Amino acid sequence: MNNIILIFGGDSVEHEISIITALQIFKQYNGKYNLIPIYLKKSKFYFISSMEISTFKNFKYKNEVQFEANQNYFKLHHKKINFLGVWIVSHGKKCEDGSIYSYFNILNIPVISQDQYVSAICHDKELAKKIGKITTLPYFSLFRNDIDNKLDEIIKKANKIGYPLIIKPCRLGSSVGIKKVNNSNELVDKIKETLYLDNKIIVEKYLNNFEELNIAILKNKAKYLYSEIEKIKKGSILSYNDKYMNSSKSMIKEEKELPAVINEILRNEIIKKSIELCTNLNTSGVVRIDYLYDKDKKKLYFNEINNIPGSLAYYLFDKVNIKINDLIDIIIDNGLEEIENNKMLIENYKDNVLKGTNNSVKLFK
Amino acid sequence: MKIVNILCVFICFNYLHLCFLNILQKQYYSLKRLFIYLTQNKYLQYEIIISVFIILSIFLKIQIISFILALCFYFFIFKDKLIKFKITKRIIRNILVFNVILPILFIFDFCKATLMFYFFFIISFLISLLIEKIIQKRYINQAKCKLKNIKPLIIVITGSYGKTTTKNFIYEMLNKDYRVCITKSSYNTLNGILITINNDLKPFHEILLLEIGLDKKNGIKKFEKIINADIGLVTKIGKQHLSTFKTFNNIINEKNKLFGLIKEKGCAILNIDDKNINNPNLKVINKTISTNKKANYYIDNIEYDEQETRFLLHMEMKEYQCKTYLHGNHNLSNLLLSIAVADILNVNHSYIIQKIASLENIEHRLSYKKQNNWLIIDDSYNSNYEGFLSSCDLLSKMKNYKILISPGLIESTLTNKEKDIMYKKINVSCDLFCIIEKNDFFKDYPFENQRRFNSFKECIEYLNRNYYEIKASILIENDLPDIFIK
């Protein structure tokens, strides 16, 4: 009766992280909802009967599931399985950016997630900075065409910020494709290289001496709850390899400090800014916000916001006494409530455009 | 020939059946009430005439002619009975069952069969009742299972009147801090509650707010199996549904049994203004409210004016000065009940005060409307004696010309003494009393400030002609059609 579908996987670079997140959720959760794992791979949905890592190591494409429009159930071996809603926990492009949300939205199946607007804004590193109204490092963004048309302008902008710079694909999750540019000679080449990954690129100031501070924010009944802050100690920006490939055991290997040892003023600043950001973006569910702290200038910069954070950032909430069970219950409760509220919205206005159009109106020439 | 006969009986029976169902629907699906209705309206006499007529025709062998005549006769006496017929699932079920058992009829001779309509009608009604019971049993189990799963905090409300208003007030008070599932509009029967639990209650809900209507003796028994409440309250006990309860004492006993639904260490909220409300359940904590004496939650220093009511609110130990747009004493005690619930559930006091100031009455339940020179107080949903008097009080406090429009109370049995008090109150509180003569309620109204009309439309036309320019307060009372004000 309380079935919730857990959608994970997806065809992004963070596909495996999503599997780990789903496994963590599935193994540790025993709350009031019954989670049904559905794996998204190569644009198809598969029902997973045994949630083990080995299942995904060599995945057999079995138990495909089809979702039908307007139906709150799917069929598995001719058996109907009802569900209350679909909950998305897959990361990266085509998942986290609101695509899956939109897919189910069109099918008129209730989805528990950020809606497509918030997802898209959070996913786009530039939009999040612009719309979130929050202090950031100096940056500029460019599209694929700009490299041919406005090359001079780009170099001018880059010079203005000053080298070294960081180049990131604007809409790719994790730390994929992040490059450091030391001087103007490298700039164009590296930009072109990055354009293989994404059509939009963001160029940012490089910090020499910094710490990364992360906080997670959870929405509960029109209120935002904050988690503990964690500090990631590393002198330079992480590459995808650093972050995930080297680790043999867990996905989080970097030197972490949890709870972060920071002074009270900074702590309060982070909490205040984060809640402000979430209010501005109107996020729902859980998000993780990453900040960069410049140790030299003692200044805090917003780096990025993750609308479906890895592991749901449960390890951060654990420290403020929101256990994973409560966390998931809160997310699903609020998601379902939002769905109910959305149902109340008036969607169909009776219009008489077609009725009023008489035959004499020429629709086509 | 036989086929024609069969067809004729089939059509005739179905037609009759529809007519009877329609009457039955209006008599709340009670066979007893149907029987009383039929005898009172002389249908049974007609029926006997028709039966004699048919029996005669058997001997005279003019069956078809007699049949057609009988059909015409039926059509004639029932022709107004098919208007405003609501096709519900229950009606469809009845029709289906009736048609399924109808073929048994054809083992009988055609004419004898004609006389057996009542038998078929009752049998089919009983069978569909049985089917309903089975379906209901399933719904009850489903609801029980769901409640066990979700475990919401349950608040139950009953009372003779003011249930829906109180329910809405409580919902408004709790809505910010809790996720509340509420019975839709005035769903207050067992089935209505089952529908709410089965369809509207979602796993994320924390509070289930139920309005329970009790209209007959031992009606609460059905609820006992399902509901295990945390907070229970009785708004007020009046003489509603006296015909089914038989005595006023029965009503008091039944309504007070609601407190038995509350589980151990739950909370009962008692309105001590009403002497009839008392809690027989000793395992629960009692909280009291009052509009005129000391209690856990009470108000004093009440001041009315045209716009708002101001009062001093005492909540346990604390005091607050409040104002509200609500009027009438009965509304204030409804408000107090909701304040008590909100406080018990730890809603912020400042939020409660803020809500008190913004609560408004639902339309037709003592709501205000400005129309040109007139202030229209619409209380047309009201249908109880105490509410009527309290609204009259309100009207008498108005400063301009006072008009009261009412067709009288439906379904109430007032003693002569009570009626006397009512008449005197009307006389004091209004300058013009427009009586709509829909029923004979105000037939013996003795005072001179009255004017009688046949319909509401007539009354409004009259007021438009004569009082259009005058600043007036118009109170509309008791079950009027709601199309009138534009």
Side-chain angles (χ1 to χ4, degrees), chain A residues 208-224:
Chain A
N208 269 323
N209 188 12
F210 74 94
E211 289 164 339
E212 203 180 316
L213 295 166
N214 297 344
I215 187 172
I217 301 287
L218 172 67
K219 192 180 187 183
N220 188 18
K221 290 179 211 158
K223 246 198 250 163
Y224 286 108

Side-chain angles (χ1 to χ4, degrees), chain B residues 190-414:
Chain B
L190 179 66
N191 284 342
I193 283 164
L194 289 178
I195 287 172
T196 308
I197 293 173
N198 287 334
N199 297 351
D200 300 347
L201 185 67
K202 296 277 149 65
F204 56 81
H205 281 127
E206 291 156 311
I207 291 177
L208 179 61
L209 186 52
L210 297 176
E211 175 188 337
I212 292 180
L214 298 170
D215 54 4
K216 55 174 177 276
K217 223 182 152 188
N218 291 329
I220 197 119
K221 268 205 174 142
K222 294 182 278 183
F223 297 99
E224 274 169 1
K225 285 178 260 169
I226 313 164
I227 298 165
N228 203 358
D230 297 81
I231 297 174
L233 42 111
V234 177
T235 54
K236 220 161 207 189
I237 298 177
K239 289 186 177 171
Q240 226 100 77
H241 299 292
L242 196 61
S243 53
T244 51
F245 275 117
K246 297 215 175 70
T247 66
F248 188 48
N249 245 0
N250 280 346
I251 300 184
I252 296 169
N253 285 340
E254 191 63 33
K255 304 272 178 195
N256 282 327
K257 269 187 199 161
L258 177 100
F259 295 115
L261 291 182
I262 307 169
K263 62 180 165 208
E264 231 173 282
K265 284 177 188 163
C267 189
I269 301 169
L270 305 172
N271 181 0
I272 52 172
D273 290 350
D274 193 329
K275 283 174 204 129
N276 298 320
I277 299 173
N278 48 49
N279 180 8
N281 188 349
L282 299 172
K283 288 175 189 164
V284 301
I285 303 155
N286 285 334
K287 297 269 177 190
T288 50
I289 65 138
S290 172
T291 52
N292 51 31
K293 46 184 170 277
K294 284 209 169 170
N296 291 91
Y297 303 87
Y298 71 101
I299 54 177
D300 50 17
N301 295 347
I302 307 168
E303 284 172 48
Y304 286 101
D305 74 29
E306 274 172 51
Q307 285 288 318
E308 54 190 39
T309 313
R310 284 179 298 275
F311 54 82
L312 191 65
L313 170 68
H314 301 259
M315 283 158 86
E316 303 282 9
M317 289 298 139
K318 287 175 185 151
E319 284 178 17
Y320 301 95
Q321 181 65 44
C322 305
K323 61 167 192 182
T324 175
Y325 295 116
L326 300 172
H327 299 270
N329 234 347
H330 59 294
N331 254 333
L332 289 180
S333 64
N334 290 343
L335 181 65
L336 266 172
L337 286 170
S338 67
I339 291 168
V341 172
D343 186 52
I344 288 163
L345 294 173
N346 297 326
V347 177
N348 201 332
H349 282 192
S350 62
Y351 183 74
I352 294 177
I353 308 298
Q354 189 192 327
K355 264 282 157 205
I356 292 170
S358 67
L359 280 177
E360 266 178 48
N361 256 322
I362 321 160
E363 220 180 339
H364 307 311
R365 289 177 198 267
L366 214 58
S367 59
Y368 279 37
K369 226 181 254 172
K370 273 250 162 180
Q371 192 172 322
N372 301 325
N373 287 322
W374 298 349
L375 175 74
I376 296 172
I377 309 165
D378 183 357
D379 194 24
S380 50
Y381 263 28
N382 182 14
S383 62
N384 65 71
Y385 176 69
E386 279 86 352
F388 191 101
L389 296 188
S390 147
S391 305
C392 283
D393 267 345
L394 182 70
L395 184 69
S396 63
K397 290 206 171 68
M398 299 292 165
K399 286 173 190 103
N400 38 25
Y401 197 76
K402 291 165 277 210
I403 303 171
L404 171 67
I405 308 173
S406 173
L409 302 169
I410 300 165
E411 205 197 297
S412 91
T413 40
L414 296 180

Side-chain angles (χ1 to χ4, degrees), chain B residues 105-158:
Chain B
L105 217 141
F106 301 115
I107 54 172
F108 299 107
D109 177 79
F110 160 67
C111 271
K112 280 179 202 153
T114 323
L115 299 172
M116 294 182 73
F117 172 75
Y118 285 93
F119 172 74
F120 276 93
F121 173 70
I122 291 168
I123 290 289
S124 76
F125 180 72
L126 290 179
I127 291 175
S128 53
L129 217 61
L130 191 76
I131 295 171
E132 251 161 52
K133 274 268 138 57
I134 293 165
I135 295 172
Q136 198 184 49
K137 192 95 202 166
R138 235 185 55 208
Y139 280 139
I140 289 175
N141 285 337
Q142 199 187 335
K144 265 192 208 163
C145 187
K146 206 165 172 185
L147 284 181
K148 217 187 234 172
N149 240 324
I150 298 170
K151 293 191 196 89
L153 194 141
I154 301 175
I155 302 173
V156 286
I157 306 167
T158 194

Side-chain angles (χ1 to χ4, degrees), chain A residues 114-115 118 219 224 276-284 338:
Chain A
Q114 317 278 356
D115 66 18
V118 180
K219 192 180 187 183
Y224 286 108
E276 220 174 84
L277 178 74
C278 284
T279 321
N280 285 343
L281 297 178
N282 189 24
T283 62
S284 55
E338 216 155 279

